[in-house]
Structures are given as structure tokens and as C-alpha cells.
């Protein structure tokens, strides 16, 4: 009987396993993860779960019983240490296993502050896993002084939740502005103003030079020469793809495990999906860190294991929740040369449209589901609207979409 072994029981790993069964795959499916629980959703970790508004149980992607019902052999708390590709065998913390297909869904690991500058002090936290948040929550007490390091989406979400929970929050970002790697200056300005109104202090162009404390952190020394009395630190300075298993096997690596348009790695019988893998995308090689991508790429690989020969074409979208604002992002904003701001008359409702030349590439929509939906459809269909029509808040976007219903090549 054909056996598929999946390493990494996260969003991508569980999606691959469930899709294999949905497609009628009747062989063995073994889903191995080194975390102690069944696959769960990470996005609420820096949102509702950190705020204490949802339970660990509610984070599970599917109930544990479903894996049993689908004859998926889920093995939490098990680590895969080595791959022997010639023998098509893996070695795990609980013994070795043979495979016909091996799917690597090992995700990403958070970057840490170096121990030499105090990164290993008590009350200095990373935020990637449920265990991480369970460690943070007891320290998340109203009135305490929190330093968030990193002004990307995770850092900003933590800052928002902390401010809502009554902590005194300072966020430092080493680059000259928040969201530098992922969004335009206009989106950064929107979120900077939102946080300032809610009492979060944001220091841009400011790095942590040293954290100090005997045991837990007490002071943070910043590059702007400020010394900040601090009770806890959450570090959100990005992630790196988890390639430890793959690189030890000799798989090609290029900003993650290198896979082709079908999800195949450079080694026969081994596939790569989700945060850990980079893939070809309209002439470039990219890596995405998002739930929709993890699901869709994993489902494509499941189909290909079943013999479909399906090409994976990413349709990037993402979201972030901060205070009362839902940000929805569609498309990829690399290589833009202009941003068109569509400002609604309602407070905090706006959308930022990224153009490269005449082409619509991406949108950031804040509390503006209509702009998001219309822009997403345009991007996926390869339609580029007149920027001035988009900018005009009286333009009906639905009618604009209909009038431009010309199908061209996608815009990514
Ligand atoms: C705090 C936070 C907030 C986020 N918010 C959003 C959001 O709002 N929207 C969005 O789209 N995305 C968000 N993301 C990103 C999203 O969660 C990830 O892109 C997604 O989880 C990737 O899924 P994955 O399966 O590739 O990796 P993961 O979910 O990281 O799963 C990989 C699993 O593999 C395990 N593993 C690694 N090596 C081994 C090994 N050798 N043996 C066994 N197991 C192993 C890991 O421990 C992990 O459990 C967020 C992420 C975080 C951390």
C-alpha cells in the first residue's frame, strides 16, 4: 500500500493530509508533528487567544476525532530527525518509518534577539506557538510595561492586544518606519496613527541595544539612548523557513526548500509546502507566510501525489486585526511604483491600491471589504482600473469592475 508521510502537523501538513483523503487516496497517511497537540491555527495566537477571548480547543483546525475517522495517523509530540532518501525512510524520536511520498511542511522559526544582548532573559518572549502564548499570558497583566520589538504585523497585533488589556506599550522598529518590508508608507502611516490614538508609543528607526536584568528583564537600552523600564518583551522580528531537516538531506535550498511549480523538491519522492518552501511565481522565486497559501499549496501537492500534475498558481491574500480595524490584503506589492489612496468618508475606512506602471498589483483594505473584494477579483483576472477612478470615492467599484470585465494575464 502506498504510504505518504507528512512532516509538520501545522496548517499545510493537515491540509495535505485531509485533501489526500478527500481526493480518494486510500493508502497510509501519517502526519507527524513535534508540537504536543493536534494541528491548530496560528493567526489567533497574536489576536483573540493572546487577549484571552478564545480557547486552545477553539484553535484546532479540525477536531482530533476527524483524523481518526479519516484514517489519518496523527502523531503529535514526535520529531523527525533525519531523512534517508535512498532508502525512502525517516528516523523519528519514536522510531523509523518507510515512505513512498514524503511531504515537508516544517513551517518557519521565529528570529530571536541574541543572548549576548539579553535575548535569553526571563520575560523575553517569542510568539510562534501555542506554548509561547501560554508562557506570555500570565505576564500580560494590566499596568505592566511591555516592549514589543519589531513593527511587522505580528508585533503590531501584539501591541494592539496589549493596549486593549491595559498594558503600557512601547513598540520599537529598527527600520525607519513600521511595516517597511510588507506595506507602503501610506499603510504604515494609517497604522501608526491608529496605534497612537490607542496609546501605543511607536519608536521608528530605533533598535534594542541591550536588555538588562538579573533574572527577568528590568531595563531596555535603546539605540536612541533612551533607557526604558520594562517588565516584559515580545520579540516579533520575523521568521526564517525551517530548513534544518531538508538541508541535512541535501535538498536544494533557496530562501527555503526549493520546490517546482508542482511542489516537488530536488529529490525524487519528496515534496515541500507552506512557510518552509520557496516556489516559482511569474518568473520569480518567492516564499509566502500565510494561511491561504499554506492550504492551497498543500492541496495542490495532495492532488499531485494522486497523479494530477497540477501547477500551483498562488493567489496571495492575507489579513491582520488591530483594535477595531480589519486589514485585508490581496496580491503581491513587490515592484510597485505608485500607491493610490481611496479614502472613504467613514472614519478608519480606506484602501491603498498598489500600481506598477498601469498594472494593479495589490491592495491593502482597512475596514473596507468592498474595495478588497473588487481589487482581489481585478488582480486575479488581470484587470487594471484607471487609478483616478479608484481614487474618487464616488466611483462605484462594482460598476467599475463590470465595465472592465476584460480577462487578461494575472497581475502578480
Ligand atoms: C502569531 C502569528 C500570527 C499570524 N497571523 C496570520 C494572519 O493573520 N493571516 C495569515 O494568513 N497568516 C498568519 N500567520 C502565518 C500563518 O500562521 C503561517 O503562514 C502558517 O501557519 C504556515 O503553515 P505551515 O504549516 O507552513 O507552518 P506551521 O504552521 O509553522 O507548521 C509547521 C509545523 O511543523 C513542525 N515541525 C518542524 N520541524 C519538524 C520536525 N523535524 N519534526 C516534526 N515536526 C516539525 C513545527 O513545530 C510546526 O508545528 C501568523 C503566524 C503567526 C506565528
Amino acid at each position: 500500500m502506498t504510504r505518504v508521510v507528512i512532516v509538520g502537523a501545522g496548517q499545510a501538513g493537515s491540509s495535505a493530509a485531509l485533501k489526500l483523503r478527500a481526493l480518494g487516496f486510500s493508502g497510509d497517511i501519517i502526519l507527524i508533528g513535534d508540537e504536543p497537540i493536534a494541528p491548530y491555527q496560528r493567526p489567533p495566537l497574536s489576536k483573540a487567544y493572546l487577549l484571552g477571548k478564545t480557547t486552545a480547543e477553539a484553535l484546532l483546525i479540525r477536531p482530533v476525532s476527524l483524523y481518526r475517522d479519516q484514517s489519518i495517523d496523527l502523531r503529535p509530540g514526535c520529531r523527525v530527525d533525519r531523512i534517508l532518501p535512498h532508502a525512502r525512510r525517516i528516523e523519528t524520536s519514536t522510531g523509523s518509518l518507510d515512505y513512498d511520498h514524503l511531504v515537508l511542511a516544517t513551517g518557519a522559526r521565529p528570529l530571536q534577539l541574541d543572548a549576548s544582548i539579553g535575548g535569553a532573559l526571563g520575560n523575553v518572549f517569542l510568539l510562534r506557538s501555542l506554548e509561547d502564548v501560554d508562557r506570555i499570558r500570565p505576564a500580560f497583566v494590566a499596568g505592566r510595561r511591555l516592549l514589543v520589538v519589531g513593527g511587522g504585523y505580528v508585533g503590531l497585533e501584539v501591541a494592539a492586544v496589549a493596549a486593549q488589556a491595559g498594558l503600557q506599550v512601547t513598540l520599537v522598529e529598527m527600520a525607519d518606519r513600521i511595516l517597511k518590508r510588507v506595506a507602503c508608507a501610506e499603510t504604515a502611516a494609517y497604522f501608526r496613527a491608529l496605534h497612537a490614538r490607542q496609546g501605543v508609543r511607536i519608536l521608528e528607526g530605533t533598535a534594542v541595544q541591550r536588555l538588562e536584568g538579573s533574572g527577568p528583564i528590568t531595563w531596555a537600552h535603546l539605540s536612541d539612548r533612551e533607557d526604558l523600564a520594562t517588565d516584559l518583551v515580545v520579540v516579533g522580528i520575523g521568521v526564517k523557513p525551517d530548513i534544518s531537516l531538508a538541508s541535512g538531506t541535501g535538498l536544494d535550498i533557496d530562501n527555503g526548500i526549493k520546490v517546482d511549480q508542482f511542489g516537488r523538491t530536488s529529490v525524487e519522492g519528496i515534496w515541500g509546502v507552506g512557510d518552509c518552501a520557496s516556489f516559482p511565481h511569474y518568473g520569480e522565486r518567492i516564499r509566502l507566510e500565510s494561511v491561504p497559501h499554506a492550504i492551497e499549496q498543500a492541496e495542490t501537492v495532495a492532488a499531485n501525489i494522486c497523479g494530477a500534475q497540477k501547477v500551483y498558481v498562488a493567489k496571495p491574500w492575507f489579513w491582520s486585526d488591530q483594535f477595531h480595524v480589519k486589514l485585508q490584503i490581496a496580491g503581491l506589492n513587490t515592484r510597485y511604483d505608485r500607491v493610490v489612496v481611496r479614502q472613504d468618508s467613514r472614519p478608519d475606512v480606506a484602501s491603498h491600491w498598489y500600481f506598477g506602471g498601469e498594472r494593479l498589483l495589490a491592495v491593502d483594505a482597512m475596514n473596507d471589504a468592498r474595495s478588497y473584494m473588487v481589487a482581489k477579483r481585478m488582480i486575479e483576472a488581470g484587470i487594471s482600473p484607471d487609478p483616478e477612478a479608484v481614487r474618487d470615492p464616488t466611483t462605484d467599484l462594482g460598476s467599475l469592475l463590470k465595465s472592465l470585465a476584460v480577462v487578461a494575464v494575472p497581475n502578480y
Side-chain angles (χ1 to χ4, degrees):
M1 192 187 282
T2 307
R3 176 184 284 171
V4 179
V5 175
I6 302 167
V7 187
Q11 185 71 65
S14 68
S15 301
L18 293 163
K19 189 66 179 183
L20 278 166
R21 280 288 180 257
L23 292 171
F25 177 79
S26 59
D28 289 342
I29 304 174
I30 304 176
L31 176 57
I32 302 176
D34 58 3
E35 293 189 66
I37 66 162
Y40 60 92
Q41 309 162 59
R42 290 184 201 280
L45 294 181
S46 50
K47 308 176 181 80
Y49 188 70
L50 183 58
L51 200 50
K53 286 206 165 157
T54 189
T55 60
E57 188 74 20
L59 299 188
L60 294 183
I61 292 170
R62 305 302 284 269
V64 180
S65 57
L66 185 87
Y67 299 94
R68 257 196 321 270
D69 296 347
Q70 296 284 312
S71 300
I72 294 168
D73 181 355
L74 172 63
R75 302 188 186 179
C78 176
R79 183 162 180 81
V80 178
D81 297 316
R82 207 151 85 99
I83 305 169
L84 306 165
H86 298 300
R88 293 208 176 204
R89 180 169 304 144
I90 56 166
E91 290 174 356
T92 81
S93 51
T94 56
S96 62
L97 263 178
D98 292 343
Y99 66 82
D100 297 294
H101 294 273
L102 184 68
V103 180
L104 298 180
T106 50
R109 301 267 160 198
L111 298 171
Q112 311 199 21
L113 288 182
D114 206 84
S116 65
I117 61 162
L121 285 173
N123 282 355
V124 178
F125 301 105
L126 296 172
L127 201 169
R128 177 76 191 175
S129 67
L130 194 58
E131 276 186 333
D132 291 336
V133 185
D134 287 341
R135 272 192 289 268
I136 298 173
R137 270 170 50 171
F140 231 61
V141 173
R144 290 212 179 142
R145 294 156 302 188
L146 165 69
L147 174 65
V148 178
V149 184
Y153 287 122
V154 169
L156 287 167
E157 287 178 355
V158 170
V161 165
Q164 286 167 279
L167 283 84
Q168 299 173 45
V169 189
T170 303
L171 181 148
V172 290
E173 167 53 57
M174 191 164 72
D176 60 1
R177 67 168 173 84
I178 56 170
L179 300 175
K180 181 101 180 186
R181 200 174 55 87
V182 288
C184 61
E186 290 81 353
T187 299
Y190 176 100
F191 283 100
R192 187 187 302 114
L194 173 71
H195 279 258
R197 287 201 301 277
Q198 304 285 342
V200 174
R201 186 168 168 241
I202 293 184
L203 304 175
E204 295 164 304
T206 305
V208 169
Q209 280 195 323
R210 193 164 50 84
L211 302 177
E212 189 187 308
S214 47
I217 163 101
T218 47
W219 288 96
H221 303 286
L222 306 180
S223 60
D224 66 1
R225 295 176 188 278
E226 187 177 345
D227 294 332
L228 210 62
T230 302
D231 300 308
L232 68 152
V233 176
V234 176
V235 180
I237 54 175
V239 297
K240 56 172 189 256
D242 192 336
I243 54 162
S244 46
L245 194 58
S247 50
T249 311
L251 268 66
D252 287 353
I253 302 293
D254 182 357
N255 180 28
I257 301 168
K258 189 174 177 185
V259 301
D260 66 9
Q261 67 273 36
F262 302 106
R264 297 178 301 204
T265 70
S266 57
V267 172
E268 175 77 31
I270 305 184
W271 309 75
V273 290
D275 278 15
C276 67
S278 71
F279 60 96
H281 186 74
Y282 294 97
E284 290 179 86
R285 173 158 293 276
I286 63 166
R287 199 172 60 75
L288 294 175
E289 294 159 13
S290 81
V291 166
H293 161 67
I295 295 172
E296 285 154 23
Q297 193 183 31
E299 293 191 347
T300 303
V301 161
N304 290 339
I305 288 173
C306 296
Q309 293 201 301
K310 200 170 159 189
V311 169
Y312 176 59
V313 182
K315 296 176 183 161
W317 63 275
F318 189 80
W319 75 94
S320 173
D321 298 320
Q322 295 167 46
F323 301 107
H324 57 282
V325 174
K326 174 164 274 306
L327 164 67
Q328 292 168 291
I329 302 169
L332 274 187
N333 65 15
T334 46
R335 297 171 197 271
Y336 68 94
D337 50 31
R338 147 163 84 136
V339 175
V340 170
V341 175
R342 181 178 167 90
Q343 184 62 56
D344 198 277
S345 53
R346 291 164 293 169
D348 292 336
V349 178
S351 55
H352 300 159
W353 301 58
Y354 297 78
F355 286 83
E358 298 304 310
R359 303 208 85 175
L360 176 62
L361 301 175
V363 72
D364 298 337
M366 281 72 66
N367 285 342
D368 191 349
R370 182 136 186 91
S371 285
Y372 167 72
M373 287 307 300
V374 168
K376 186 168 190 288
R377 287 185 56 190
M378 287 179 173
I379 294 162
E380 287 174 4
I383 295 171
S384 294
D386 172 7
E388 290 317 311
V390 166
R391 192 190 310 277
D392 180 353
T394 64
T395 302
D396 178 64
L397 290 177
S399 310
L400 183 65
L401 177 63
K402 269 194 208 132
S403 73
L404 291 170
V406 183
V407 177
V409 281
N411 272 342
Y412 304 121

